[in-house]
Structures are given as C-alpha cells and as structure tokens.
Amino acid sequence: VTEPPLRIGTNIWTGYEPLYLARNLGYYDNSRVKLIELTSASEVIHALRNGTLEGGALTLDEALSLIDEGFKLKVILVMDFSNGGDVLLAKPGIGSPADLRGKRIAVETSAVGAILLDGALSSGGLSFSDIEIVPCTVDNHIRCYSSVDAVVTFQPVKTKLINQGAVQLFDSSLIKGRIVDVLVVSAETVNTHPHTVTHLLEGYFKAREYLANHPEDAAKRMTARLAISAAEILGCFNEMSLPDLEENRALLNGNPPSLQLTASDLAGFMLQRRFIKKPLRLEGVTEGRFLPPKAP
C-alpha cells in the first residue's frame, strides 16, 4: 500500500536530533519521511493546525495547548525529559530569580518558556505581574538577549549564550517532569500513514542505538545543524533523559499509560495558571502501537 509522505516538523532542540541523525545515516526512505525544520515551536504548532504537517516534535504542554483548541492528536513517542536543558539566563550582575522584579524577560510565550518562567519566578517569590515579558521565538533568543535583562531558552542556544557570559539562574532540573518532549501526529494520520509512522519510529530507535554506540561520530554529524561543538552536544544530552523502547512502552501503553497521568497533572497546572482554557479529557491521547517490537 503506498501511503502519502509523512511530514514531520521540528524546531532546533538537542532532544529532537536523533530524528535528523536517522536521516543522516540513511535510515529513512526520504520519499516517505520528510523532516521539516522550522524556526520555532510556534511555527510547528501553526503548521499542524493548518494541515501542512502530519506530525511534529513538541513539548507536552504545547501538545496540550493544541488539544485545548480542539485539535485531535496522538502522542506516538516520548523523546526526552528535560533535566537542565531548559534555562533562565540573565545578564551578569543579576544573581537570583528574586532579582528579576521589574526586569524585562524574553520568552516564547506560547510554548514551554511560560512553564519554565513560572517555576523560576515562583522560586524567587515573584509572579508574572512583577516582570515585563518580551515575546521572542527561539530563532531570535540570541538577538533578544542583547536588549533585555534575561531570556528563557534551551539547548543549543543555552550553550551559545553561556559562552557569551550569560548567567544561569534556573533550569528544568528544578521542575522535574514538567518539560517533556513528545512526537505527535494528528489523530487522522494514524489511519492514513500506519506503515510510515512505524518506519519513522524504527529509524528513530536505530539512530538512538547509533548514538549510544558511537557517541562521538553521532555528535559530529549533529554539529552542522546545532552549530555547537561535538563535545558540547554530548554535554547537552547529559541534561535530559531519553526514554528507551521499553520505557516508551510503559509511558504510552499502560492502563492508564503513565504519560497520560503526567499529562493530566500538567494540564491541571496549566489550567490553574490559565495557560489553557478548560479541563482536558486525555483518555486515548497516547498511541503505543507503532513502537518497534524490539530494539534494533
């Protein structure tokens, strides 16, 4: 059965890189799987909404925001749990989150930035009303940093800004389980592209295997896209945990799947903070049947 090409969108984040490594290593049939690199999560969300993508890599809170808007999606893979890769960076001289009162902070407001900023402000006894938010998508974080007091960002921009002297005030290891990266497809895609979705995940896990067995070469292949050194890339992978095939089975297949519990908890938090408008029904949001039967 010939299925139409599967278009998967991502922005640049180290946790999404195994998909591009799979392409680089020739694990994908390029006529079937088309990886589309967009400049920000906001663009990925927009393209999913208007149907120019079948799927995309998003943070779990971004996926929940789409569900809140009525978009029907399925989580087919948990890519990583951020454990330090997402950060609040400030200009030298700002010593702690409490020092941000009255300051200008650049952040991609529709995305995970709001969750991390909420954690950082709470840790400093502040709320959103105590600061001035400057909306800024990730492709502009380096430029925005020069004209604000602080920026919420993630790898590889984090490494680039720290190399320029930025000071880290808060990171995702302090809000464990809140920032989860997932691969989603529209609910319709699981019916229209079942073989191609399976092919996508098989290639992903083969690339993960390659990364585990040949870390230096894998990182070297990632330098062109991430624009930081191979050693810095391997450092980025230490700031996240990447669930393997067995862990993905537990996250997506249980009864209820453990990711559904994580998502319900996060949706409750997002509702309380008014990041979403209504309580979400999340039964059936995970779809584990496309995971390969065994590791490559």
Side-chain angles (χ1 to χ4, degrees), residues 20 45 91 101 178 186 194 199 204 216 224-225:
Y20 290 93
I45 290 167
K91 292 280 172 64
R101 186 182 299 278
R178 279 267 143 86
S186 69
H199 175 60
Y204 171 84
E216 281 79 15
R225 278 174 39 77

Side-chain angles (χ1 to χ4, degrees), residues 117-171:
L117 183 55
D118 180 87
L121 293 173
S122 302
S123 78
L126 303 178
S127 70
F128 283 90
S129 58
D130 294 315
I131 57 158
E132 185 189 334
I133 288 195
V134 178
C136 178
T137 54
V138 65
D139 49 313
N140 288 313
H141 281 180
I142 291 177
R143 193 175 55 76
C144 291
Y145 173 75
S146 62
S147 59
V148 296
D149 301 295
V151 62
V152 176
T153 192
F154 47 83
Q155 292 289 20
V157 176
K158 169 187 169 179
T159 294
K160 295 175 185 176
L161 285 174
I162 286 176
N163 290 344
Q164 289 180 23
V167 179
Q168 183 169 315
L169 299 187
F170 189 86
D171 72 62

Side-chain angles (χ1 to χ4, degrees), residues 193-268:
H193 295 69
H195 299 96
T196 317
V197 171
T198 302
H199 175 60
L200 176 75
L201 297 188
E202 281 170 352
Y204 171 84
F205 282 105
K206 273 177 79 175
R208 284 280 308 276
E209 186 87 348
Y210 190 89
L211 175 61
N213 294 332
H214 309 280
E216 281 79 15
D217 184 66
K220 209 183 305 167
R221 289 167 185 267
M222 295 175 185
T223 52
R225 278 174 39 77
L226 295 178
I228 55 176
S229 73
E232 286 169 333
I233 289 168
L234 292 175
C236 294
F237 280 111
N238 294 332
E239 299 171 343
M240 59 183 87
S241 74
L242 286 78
D244 61 19
L245 185 53
E246 287 314 307
E247 290 168 301
N248 258 286
R249 284 220 175 85
L251 285 160
L252 300 180
N253 286 335
N255 187 15
S258 63
L259 187 77
Q260 189 185 308
L261 302 174
T262 304
S264 299
D265 177 51
L266 183 56

Side-chain angles (χ1 to χ4, degrees), residues 28 50 197:
Y28 287 143
N50 65 25
V197 171

Side-chain angles (χ1 to χ4, degrees), residues 21-215:
L21 179 62
R23 182 174 75 181
N24 179 281
L25 291 165
Y27 297 161
Y28 287 143
D29 172 343
N30 290 335
S31 66
R32 295 171 69 196
V33 170
K34 298 205 177 300
L35 297 179
I36 296 169
E37 189 184 304
L38 296 165
T39 55
S40 65
S42 308
E43 276 199 16
V44 176
I45 290 167
H46 181 66
L48 278 166
R49 268 196 214 111
N50 65 25
T52 54
L53 293 174
E54 281 70 48
L58 294 173
T59 52
L60 185 56
D61 61 291
E62 290 159 2
L64 293 174
S65 297
L66 271 170
I67 294 170
D68 184 46
E69 291 173 18
F71 188 85
K72 292 184 172 51
L73 58 77
K74 297 278 184 187
V75 175
I76 56 167
L77 177 70
V78 180
M79 303 183 83
D80 64 83
F81 290 89
S82 175
N83 192 17
D86 292 83
V87 287
L88 172 65
L89 301 177
K91 292 280 172 64
I94 299 174
S96 74
D99 299 339
L100 292 169
R101 186 182 299 278
K103 299 283 195 278
R104 300 175 76 236
I105 302 179
V107 60
E108 184 164 8
T109 46
S110 67
V112 70
I115 300 257
L116 188 100
L117 183 55
D118 180 87
L121 293 173
S122 302
S123 78
L126 303 178
S127 70
F128 283 90
S129 58
D130 294 315
I131 57 158
E132 185 189 334
I133 288 195
V134 178
C136 178
T137 54
V138 65
D139 49 313
N140 288 313
H141 281 180
I142 291 177
R143 193 175 55 76
C144 291
Y145 173 75
S146 62
S147 59
V148 296
D149 301 295
V151 62
V152 176
T153 192
F154 47 83
Q155 292 289 20
V157 176
K158 169 187 169 179
T159 294
K160 295 175 185 176
L161 285 174
I162 286 176
N163 290 344
Q164 289 180 23
V167 179
Q168 183 169 315
L169 299 187
F170 189 86
D171 72 62
S172 51
S173 67
L174 302 168
I175 47 168
K176 278 203 167 46
R178 279 267 143 86
I179 300 182
V180 187
D181 285 284
V182 293
L183 192 57
V184 304
V185 293
S186 69
E188 187 189 345
T189 299
V190 299
N191 301 319
T192 53
H193 295 69
H195 299 96
T196 317
V197 171
T198 302
H199 175 60
L200 176 75
L201 297 188
E202 281 170 352
Y204 171 84
F205 282 105
K206 273 177 79 175
R208 284 280 308 276
E209 186 87 348
Y210 190 89
L211 175 61
N213 294 332
H214 309 280

